[in-house]
Amino acid sequence: MPGFSLRSGPEDPLEPYRSDIQGLRAVAVISVALYHAGLAVPGGFIGVDMFFVISGYVISRLITKEFHSPQGFSISRFFVRRIRRLLPILVVVVTSTTFLLTKYFSSFGEVQQATITARWSAGFLANLGLLLEDSYVALVDNPFRHLWSLAVEEQFYIFFPFIFLYFLRAEGGTVRSSDRARLSFAFLTVASFLLCIAFSFSDSGLLQQISFFSMPTRIWQFSTGVLVMLIERNIRLVRTLNTDFVSIAGITGVVWSAFVMREWTTFPGLWAIVPTIAT
């Protein structure tokens, strides 16, 4: 499961605590946990989609704030924080789980499959490893299958800061008022979404798996969050919205997705747009 804190502190000194986003993160975590526990939330897997949107919003906001801070934005500092934040716990999870699965899993197939995924996970490439192995649902006994979403998020983090920094520098830091930035990320969102749709409804099982696991077919969810960050300061737009209605519609979309969607739903495909826009 992707993870990103919005609580102020040494990791994100420029970002205050955001109760609204923390609440969304809690809903996403609980949805996924209940889904994997088989407890009455058949579409709880949409919590991952929620995290992707939140991550796009948060990371673009943090980069913008750091760019305008006295110390400025540093690519190396950005990656060091990501490594310090994720790598230690990832090592603990992978090593401890690998040790336990040799005791409780069958050595004929299950252990071999899981250890292969563990090796992919060590380099934040679990999504690629799972894509080559089998579908997500079929990997129900693989204890490392949940790391695919973390891999997608980290792959997004690898190139996104360079793209966003380009727009910040090109616009003199006024990226939120830049039509070029908004149009560029809107184009990226639409292009990735169309690719996701095409692969999801393909007759090829491989393309369907690519649609689910790959970063190019998931980046539209991250860039949706980026677009929200870019337009949230547009006062003219905000004044035209009934924020109560928008909030209720968003909550309804998330709840509907969690309880109505099923594993057999063609996903991400068209259905993924509901929890994405709702978030």
Side-chain angles (χ1 to χ4, degrees):
M1 169 62 67
F4 204 103
S5 174
L6 282 187
R7 190 180 295 276
S8 58
E11 289 290 340
D12 306 311
L14 301 175
E15 189 65 29
Y17 177 84
R18 287 284 300 270
S19 59
D20 54 346
I21 297 182
Q22 291 291 70
L24 277 174
R25 293 177 73 240
V27 170
V29 169
I30 293 171
S31 297
V32 173
L34 292 177
Y35 163 69
H36 283 297
L39 298 176
V41 187
F45 51 82
I46 59 97
V48 173
D49 303 83
M50 295 176 65
F51 260 101
F52 287 164
V53 180
I54 294 169
S55 293
Y57 174 84
V58 169
I59 203 65
S60 56
R61 183 180 174 90
L62 288 176
I63 292 175
T64 302
K65 284 182 173 290
E66 189 167 337
F67 183 85
H68 291 290
S69 70
Q71 63 182 358
F73 178 74
S74 167
I75 289 287
S76 59
R77 189 167 59 244
F78 173 85
F79 286 120
V80 167
R81 286 204 301 264
R82 301 283 76 73
I83 292 172
R84 289 174 56 191
R85 188 176 185 82
L86 294 172
L87 193 58
I89 190 62
L90 179 65
V91 170
V92 171
V93 169
V94 171
T95 54
S96 60
T97 305
T98 301
F99 173 76
L100 290 173
L101 69 86
T102 60
K103 294 185 174 295
Y104 297 104
F105 278 50
S106 169
S107 58
F108 298 99
E110 292 179 333
V111 171
Q112 289 88 337
Q113 185 185 56
T115 51
I116 290 173
T117 309
R119 289 198 292 270
W120 284 98
S121 301
F124 295 111
L125 297 171
N127 60 324
L128 300 182
L130 293 172
L131 189 157
L132 296 173
E133 290 179 35
D134 210 330
S135 70
Y136 182 75
V137 174
L139 293 169
V140 66
D141 292 325
N142 189 328
F144 295 109
R145 70 169 181 157
H146 316 298
L147 292 176
W148 76 269
S149 55
L150 177 63
V152 171
E153 183 165 315
E154 294 313 301
Q155 290 158 22
F156 169 74
Y157 286 163
I158 287 175
F159 76 90
F160 175 74
F162 297 97
I163 296 176
F164 199 71
L165 191 60
Y166 164 78
F167 283 108
L168 279 170
R169 289 173 174 170
E171 303 300 331
T174 59
V175 68
R176 286 180 174 175
S177 61
S178 168
D179 289 334
R180 183 171 63 165
R182 288 194 286 262
L183 287 173
S184 297
F185 282 102
F187 175 80
L188 178 63
T189 302
V190 172
S192 173
F193 179 64
L194 292 177
L195 183 66
C196 175
I197 295 297
F199 283 11
S200 293
F201 290 94
S202 169
D203 293 331
S204 168
L206 176 60
L207 290 182
Q208 292 174 11
Q209 290 175 220
I210 290 174
S211 176
F212 188 94
F213 285 115
S214 78
M215 191 270 291
T217 54
R218 289 286 190 163
I219 197 173
W220 65 276
Q221 297 177 305
F222 292 95
S223 57
T224 297
V226 177
L227 282 172
V228 172
M229 197 286 298
L230 291 175
I231 67 175
E232 68 177 350
R233 298 294 181 174
N234 189 324
I235 302 301
R236 184 175 300 176
L237 172 64
V238 171
R239 284 176 176 171
T240 65
L241 296 176
N242 183 324
T243 53
D244 290 337
F245 172 79
V246 171
S247 298
I248 293 171
I251 293 170
T252 302
V254 169
V255 173
W256 181 89
S257 300
F259 285 96
V260 174
M261 291 187 181
R262 299 291 190 275
E263 291 180 346
W264 43 258
T265 304
T266 301
F267 202 86
L270 284 169
W271 287 110
I273 199 170
V274 178
T276 300
I277 298 301
T279 302

